[in-house]
Amino acid sequence: MVATSQQIHTIAFDVEPVGIRHSSSVMTYIKAILTALFTVTFVTSPLLTDPFSGFRADQLPIPQIAPPVQPAGYAFAIWGLIYA
């Protein structure tokens, strides 16, 4: 028996590769574990580090004598319309 081109196409392209479902479930499991790990790290980080109490008044703003680019004052007028 000789296979027709339709049969060859069906055999070649309609077969699901081995391991696709397994690989997908493993990736889902890894993503879930990493999400849980990052969440626990985020929640416990304030307990393990010094608290951030802000900057001193003499630290900011850092004065610039001659800034290379300075936007015009009217460029910020649009924010008045946006937030009004």
Side-chain angles (χ1 to χ4, degrees):
M1 177 177 166
V2 177
T4 66
S5 63
Q6 180 62 33
Q7 290 171 333
I8 293 172
H9 183 274
T10 301
I11 292 170
F13 297 107
D14 292 344
V15 176
E16 190 173 303
V18 177
I20 291 296
R21 289 190 186 133
H22 176 70
S23 175
S24 176
S25 65
V26 168
M27 286 302 295
T28 302
Y29 179 75
I30 290 172
K31 287 179 184 178
I33 293 297
L34 287 174
T35 301
L37 177 70
F38 292 149
T39 302
V40 169
T41 304
F42 181 77
V43 169
T44 59
S45 65
L47 302 174
L48 304 174
T49 60
D50 293 330
F52 178 71
S53 58
F55 294 103
R56 294 187 318 266
D58 62 343
Q59 288 179 306
L60 292 174
I62 299 172
Q64 291 186 358
I65 295 171
V69 176
Q70 181 71 28
Y74 65 85
F76 296 101
I78 187 69
W79 293 109
L81 297 173
I82 292 172
Y83 287 114

